[in-house]
Amino acid sequence: MDDDGDGAPADLDCDDANPDRSPAATESCNGLDDDCDGDIDEGTLVTTFPDADRDGYGDGATPTEACTIVDGQ
């Protein structure tokens, strides 16, 4: 059975209602496990350093992972 028509049987598909999510899918930075491997956004995140004090420089002691780099990080 393959309800979303993505070629992955329902028992292997992590979301058989969404054809964009299957074991053959490419991971994208969206907060979902697109490729059904149990990891979310792996290989798509970049390390950023928030600029909490707004001095124009990120704080190296507080790295975070995000999809994109925002000005000042």
Side-chain angles (χ1 to χ4, degrees), residues 4-47:
D4 60 9
D6 61 6
D11 62 332
L12 298 178
D13 198 330
C14 52
D15 184 351
D16 204 33
N18 183 343
D20 296 328
R21 296 180 65 205
S22 75
T26 299
E27 193 68 43
S28 62
C29 199
N30 59 7
L32 301 171
D33 177 17
D34 299 300
D35 58 7
C36 301
D37 67 356
D39 295 321
I40 296 173
D41 297 340
E42 77 276 3
T44 64
L45 298 172
V46 293
T47 301

Side-chain angles (χ1 to χ4, degrees), residues 29-30 41 44-50 64-73:
C29 199
N30 59 7
D41 297 340
T44 64
L45 298 172
V46 293
T47 301
T48 66
F49 301 91
T64 61
E65 291 188 324
C67 292
T68 59
I69 296 175
V70 178
D71 285 344
Q73 295 186 359

